[in-house]
Amino acid sequence: MYKYIINRILLMIPTLLGAAVLVFFVLRLVPGDVCEIRLAGTGLFADPEAIKICQDDLGLNDPTYVQFGRFISGYFTFDLGKSMWTGRAVSEEIGLRFQLSLQIAIMATIISVIIAVPLGTISAVKQDTWIDYAVRTFSIAGIAMPSFWLGMLMILGMLIYTGWMPPLDYVSPFEDPIGNMTQLIWPALATGYRYSAVITRMTRSSLLEVLREDYVRTARAKGLLEKVIVNQHALKNALLPVVTIVGIEFAFLIGGLVVTEQVFNLNGLGKLFVDSVLNLDFNMTQQLVMLVALIFVLANLVVDVLYAWLDPRIRYA
Amino acid sequence: MTVTTENLGSPDIEALPERDSLIVRCWNLVRRQPLGAAGLLFIAIMTVMAFGAEVLTSINPEEQMFEHMLEAPSWEFLLGTDNFGRDIWTRIIYGARTAMLVGFFAAFFGSVIGLMLGVGSAYFGGKIDLIFQRVMDIFLAFPSIIMALAVVSVLGTGLQNVIIAIMLPMIPQCARVVRSSALSIREIPYVDAARALGYSHGRIILRHMSPNVMAPFLIMFTSFVGQAILAEASLSYLGLGVQEPIPAWGLMLQGGAEEYAESAPWAAVFPGLAITFAVFAFNLFGDAVRDVLDPKLRSR
Amino acid sequence: MKRIMARAATLGVGLAVGAGFAVGALAATPKKGGVLEFVVASKIPSYDGHQESTFGMIHPIRPFYSLLIRINPENPSSATDFVCDLCVGDVPKGTDGGTKFTFKIKQGVKFHDGTPLTSADVKATYDKIVFPPQGVPSTRKAFYSMIDSVTAPDADTVVFKLKFPSGAFIPALASPFNFVYSKKDLDEKGYSWHKTNVNGTGAYTFKQHQPGAFVEGTRNPDYHHEGKPYLDGYKAISAPKMAVRIQAIRGDRAAIEFRGFPPKARDDLKKALGDDLTVQQGDWNCASTFVFNNERKPFDDVRVRRALTMAIDRWTGAKYLSKIAIVKSVGGIVYPGSPLAATEEELTKISGFGKDIEASRAEAKRLLKEAGVENLTFDLHNRAVDQPYKLVGTWLIDQWRRIGVKVTQKAVSTGQWYDVYRKSKDYDVGVFANCQSVINPLADVSGWLCSASNNYTYCKDEELEETFKAMNKEPDPAKQRVLMRKFENRAMHEKVYGAMVLWWYKINPHRSYVKGWKIAPSHYLNQHLDNVWLDK
């Protein structure tokens, strides 16, 4: 088991290194640079000298391998560099947004699990009845509806019917829990509904599989109530793959809410990513992508380890 | 979720009596997979819209009729007009064409390239497989929207680049699933037999192994179409997808539609509904395909 | 030169307050207190005004600083009405034949850190802007080419000596980007310190900045304008999406937005909010244009360029496009309302400005045929920003469609948009905008010169250069006007290197409780917020 975990951690290194190389060189293919965007505001008049100074300052005129070396060595000196747009430390800028993104990811995950597990269970138990179809329709609708559109309709509905809209800026839940909730519950609902669809489907199919296993048949043969069979025997075993998908979706939620954050004007990692890509802020984009990749790789690791630990049938060499 | 391959060549489909008329076969489908049939129906409607756009509406989707800016739905303009005075019904119909183009091309290339790579990796095995897996891991570590945005910022916007941006993240997803199925096929003696006969690698991969992983491939493909349509909508909504004046659903939701939604809700509602129905249909259909091809989920 | 400026004093024409909309009441006595919340579309790069050039920095940061002179906050629509901010008395008239300007600096002004302001700070500021040391960027350095030296003979006097008299000097001095810094900060903390730190003499002191979210300022009790500011503070909330900004006003999450809304949004808001909403609007010193890549076939052929501008129905566009985009006035290369601007009669003689669009389009088709490019197709290079770039682009494409030209829009992010113009030159026709702050037509039209660093048509035209030089040296306003017509005709009619589309129109609907703020013809101007108050 330990050997397995260590092996898995070691495997993360080439993945992350590859991601670093990929993101670094892809960004260097993007035409234009941050200095032009910053300095060419009024009537696109840009003082070439000012642009040159700005580029020198940011190290954009250094040879690519020097820039790459700086990027990688930053990980060993714990210096993630500065945002090319604001000049602030990348770690500081990301830290600010991380709290918000993490909170939404947690809330959306909770909401999606609350919706999905009961629905998935009902759907599996009542397979091929109208209840099953209704549940599946509801959950597929969640996947089908663009969550930015759902969010848009939510805000507009509130504005038109109540004249009220969620606050535009973030307060920490520890300072003002109510203010925090009134802002974040809406995007969490919009994304939570969407992600519930994936989990519902997984719960359903996994439960269907388990319900066909021998021990469930035995339980049935013993004359146990279907309810007891499902709740006490089958569900517990069926939830394993569900845990996997919840974990992985959670990791994606932290960095993947790019569009939803736009609709709700949330100052999260997704918006920071879009901004830094549009500003050609290479430092910020690189570190953000690496962060998202790291979270995802870690989530995968945790899920795999949990899986191996929970299910004694799985043994890894 | 891994897909097993033992039960290929679905007995359900083979069991259908060949002489049954089309109607009977359709009815069987509706009975067995009512949701899938509904999905198929929607897809059919969408296809008709995409191909028959010129017949279904006589208005040019790019025609700006300034006297009719942001008009409510009426007999003249079934779903109202947008901020440029363009007919929304017409743009939704033509938008189906854009959606199908993006959906099919992205899904097709994404899954086919994924199929080749996945099967190839499983076939060659050893070091190649190991390296390949690591490379796929790298690509899988980014959310698709982040990858798509990166691609668009390198290549620029426009229909073709959007298709590429959406397709790229699909390749490793498909390759991974296909590879795990292909691994089991590789063990089947006939691959060895083919190799003993001196067939080339390409031939074995294409002719002998690929057909046997059709089940996971088709499942991936159908789910990709819906994903691609959604991804296109997201990119367009960010202003980095398909560009005006090409009629595209995501684009129709962006800008004016959202800004003036209070007084002209039709501009914000109908294109969103179109996206929802389209993705919904492909997902329902995809689920049905999965049910048919993946025997583990078949009813008791 | 000065006489032109005097002539131009009648220029406050461009500003109109829409009928039916109440004007921010000035008669009432200002109330003290309250926090003004407003939304800002763009992002803050750094806090250094001398270096940055976006309103995304001006709106949240400008209130922390004072300028030497500023446009009159009570009459911001005027192009010539400048008043002292950190100086005393009237804005000085030039002596020594208009080459020497002596400013008396206000006494008792304190920076936020307590350091008293002296003439040395003003000198240090302008030295940084006009004569930056090696390696220190100053974005608008070129605007101050007429300045020979800045001296501070005593603690309350600053003298600007010019190389030659120039009507562009005073407007350039009033640039809202010229934040006055403390010499002590520049000496001790270096020239980069102001990028991430604030120490000014403005109406508000820096409270906090949460990157990507908001900037907060608190009332400066020691502000040098007596009794001001009225507000306890302000909060500038970042909201890059137009829809969010409109919703924010609608849902009262913000009281005002200072860039501009499309007219349709104004009407929707007015309908929903009634008397709770006040609208201020007027001409904007920004114009949408499109430029041709004069080096590329077939756009190197003037017939093709002329045909493409003749296909554009600007007069109808002014009527309809102005409902959904922030553009409105048909005009030539000069800010409409300026005495130097073309009259309607003069304008209609320019290609593409004629009122008979059918005839114009027929001629356009004929020209294309003559040039041998009947089935012309090309890409329109555009910036992926809705207002007004993409809306104008989409509209232009439909206009060209009407003469049988098929155009594909290539909207790219701002960075790529610049890059194509400045480096790769890989475009056919591009949407462009010319945005200026203080109205200064003689300088504002310089972008039409082929030699201008922000002219991306890659044209070469000596005659245009000569006309421009002559115009800037010409002391007689009437003759100057004639030269301006010649310049305009050459650039837009004879050679058609590029073409005007429409001038922008600035619409600022705001909550009626916001008082004291007056709209200026530029979103860079009048943003010190010291006279704003809340009637709650």
Side-chain angles (χ1 to χ4, degrees), chain A residues 29-51 53-55 57-58 83-88 92-93 96-97 152 155-156 158-171 182 259 261-267 271-272 274-280, chain C residues 37 39 42-47 51-54 132-143 177 192 195-196 206 209-214 235 237-241 244 246-254 383 413-419 421-423 432-437 453-454 456 511 524:
Chain A
L29 295 175
V30 178
D33 71 58
V34 60
C35 292
E36 288 183 341
I37 303 184
R38 264 173 66 169
L39 300 178
T42 327
L44 279 192
F45 174 84
D47 182 30
E49 199 186 329
I51 288 186
I53 294 170
C54 167
Q55 288 170 335
D57 269 3
L58 297 175
S83 157
M84 293 176 163
W85 181 254
T86 64
R88 286 167 178 248
E92 181 195 333
E93 296 248 2
L96 256 170
R97 276 84 167 187
M152 198 162 122
I155 294 185
L156 286 168
M158 285 188 267
L159 264 179
I160 293 169
Y161 293 108
T162 67
W164 182 89
M165 77 178 283
L168 288 175
D169 49 324
Y170 176 73
V171 277
T182 49
V259 194
E261 285 181 4
Q262 299 282 322
V263 182
F264 290 95
N265 201 47
L266 298 176
N267 191 30
K271 184 163 162 246
L272 182 62
V274 173
D275 286 352
S276 57
V277 166
L278 293 182
N279 292 339
L280 302 177
Chain C
E37 292 188 300
V39 269
S42 191
K43 296 147 286 187
I44 304 176
S46 83
Y47 306 156
Q51 189 183 140
E52 303 304 339
S53 57
T54 164
Q134 188 74 33
V136 174
S138 169
T139 303
R140 283 159 293 275
K141 194 171 69 180
F143 292 6
F177 291 97
S192 303
K195 286 206 264 189
T196 44
F206 181 81
H209 172 205
Q210 217 181 76
F214 59 83
K235 186 170 188 177
I237 304 165
S238 166
K241 270 184 77 73
V244 172
I246 295 169
Q247 288 158 359
I249 306 280
R250 171 76 167 86
D252 205 10
R253 289 289 171 195
R383 180 180 186 181
S413 66
T414 305
Q416 273 162 291
W417 186 57
Y418 288 147
D419 197 66
Y421 282 136
R422 294 171 52 82
K423 285 194 205 132
F432 204 72
N434 186 8
C435 253
Q436 305 292 343
S437 58
S453 70
N454 57 338
Y456 303 114
R511 286 277 167 173
Y524 299 107

Side-chain angles (χ1 to χ4, degrees), chain A residues 11 14-19 22-23 26-27 29-31 124-125 127-128 132-133 136-138 140-141 143-149 152-153 156 159-160 194 201-202 204-206 208-209 211-212 220 226 252 255-256 258-259 262-263 273-274 277-278 289-290 292-293 296-297 300, chain B residues 1 30-35 134 137-147 149-151 153-154 176 223 230 233-235 237-238 240 250 253-254 257-258 261-263 268-273 275-281 283-284 286-288 290-291 295-300:
Chain A
L11 273 180
T15 307
L16 289 174
L17 192 68
L22 185 74
V23 69
V26 165
L27 280 177
L29 295 175
V30 178
V125 172
Q127 193 194 7
D128 292 336
D132 180 25
Y133 295 140
R136 283 165 72 188
T137 309
F138 172 80
I140 293 179
I143 286 196
M145 216 182 281
S147 49
F148 67 84
W149 185 60
M152 198 162 122
L153 295 183
L156 286 168
L159 264 179
I160 293 169
R194 174 171 179 71
R201 178 193 272 175
M202 189 50 110
R204 178 178 178 274
S205 59
S206 160
L208 278 179
E209 220 173 296
L211 285 175
R212 246 172 266 136
R220 253 194 216 110
E226 190 72 21
F252 265 130
V258 171
V259 194
Q262 299 282 322
V263 182
F273 176 78
V274 173
V277 166
L278 293 182
V289 170
M290 289 309 291
V292 171
F296 185 67
V297 172
N300 260 313
Chain B
M1 178 172 112
V30 172
R31 205 163 44 89
R32 276 176 223 271
Q33 297 286 346
L35 292 183
R134 293 287 80 80
D137 278 353
I138 294 169
F139 280 92
L140 285 168
F142 310 120
S144 342
I145 182 81
I146 285 193
M147 236 164 108
L149 278 174
V151 173
S153 51
V154 174
R176 185 149 92 161
S223 77
L230 263 186
S234 299
L235 279 179
Y237 180 75
L238 291 174
L240 297 171
L253 282 178
Q254 182 258 357
E258 189 177 8
E262 183 165 359
S263 60
V269 169
F270 293 121
L273 280 178
I275 298 172
T276 307
F277 272 114
V279 182
F280 189 68
N283 273 296
L284 284 180
D287 272 13
R290 185 190 302 257
D291 278 5
K296 278 195 294 181
L297 306 180
R298 198 157 315 129
S299 20
R300 282 169 275 187

Side-chain angles (χ1 to χ4, degrees), chain B residues 34-88:
Chain B
L35 292 183
L40 197 60
L41 183 71
F42 278 133
I43 294 173
I45 293 175
M46 211 176 131
T47 316
V48 170
M49 278 163 70
F51 283 100
E54 281 83 358
V55 183
L56 287 167
T57 171
S58 55
I59 304 174
N60 180 338
E62 297 180 11
E63 172 98 41
Q64 300 179 1
M65 293 169 280
F66 288 120
E67 323 74 63
H68 301 291
M69 283 155 98
L70 288 167
E71 267 183 24
S74 63
W75 280 114
E76 195 183 357
F77 306 108
L78 285 178
L79 302 181
T81 59
D82 70 1
N83 53 349
F84 281 101
R86 298 175 297 199
D87 181 34
I88 290 179

Side-chain angles (χ1 to χ4, degrees), chain B residues 184-203:
Chain B
S184 55
I185 293 167
R186 199 174 164 273
E187 305 308 319
I188 301 174
Y190 79 96
V191 173
D192 286 334
R195 214 178 287 169
L197 283 171
Y199 288 155
S200 70
H201 296 316
R203 180 173 170 144

Side-chain angles (χ1 to χ4, degrees), chain C residues 32-161:
Chain C
K32 292 221 169 202
V35 172
L36 175 74
E37 292 188 300
F38 60 92
V39 269
V40 186
S42 191
K43 296 147 286 187
I44 304 176
S46 83
Y47 306 156
D48 187 356
H50 304 171
Q51 189 183 140
E52 303 304 339
S53 57
T54 164
F55 69 93
M57 184 279 301
I58 287 285
H59 291 183
I61 305 298
R62 165 76 178 88
F64 299 133
Y65 287 100
S66 305
L67 310 174
L68 179 59
I69 60 168
R70 60 183 184 184
I71 59 157
N72 186 351
E74 298 309 322
N75 184 20
S77 51
S78 160
T80 50
D81 191 355
F82 299 101
V83 294
C84 265
D85 192 357
L86 283 175
C87 53
V88 281
D90 289 333
V91 171
K93 304 267 180 288
T95 52
D96 294 5
T99 58
K100 188 179 173 192
F101 289 80
T102 309
F103 292 84
K104 283 288 163 201
I105 304 301
K106 218 181 237 181
Q107 294 297 293
V109 180
K110 268 192 261 168
F111 281 94
H112 296 159
D113 69 350
T115 319
L117 171 111
T118 68
S119 58
D121 299 312
V122 178
K123 174 179 154 55
T125 297
Y126 274 94
D127 278 343
K128 176 175 184 259
I129 296 170
V130 185
F131 315 108
Q134 188 74 33
V136 174
S138 169
T139 303
R140 283 159 293 275
K141 194 171 69 180
F143 292 6
Y144 304 95
S145 55
M146 73 293 269
I147 298 180
D148 186 41
S149 70
V150 187
T151 48
D154 60 59
D156 61 349
T157 312
V158 171
V159 179
F160 287 83
K161 280 218 176 80

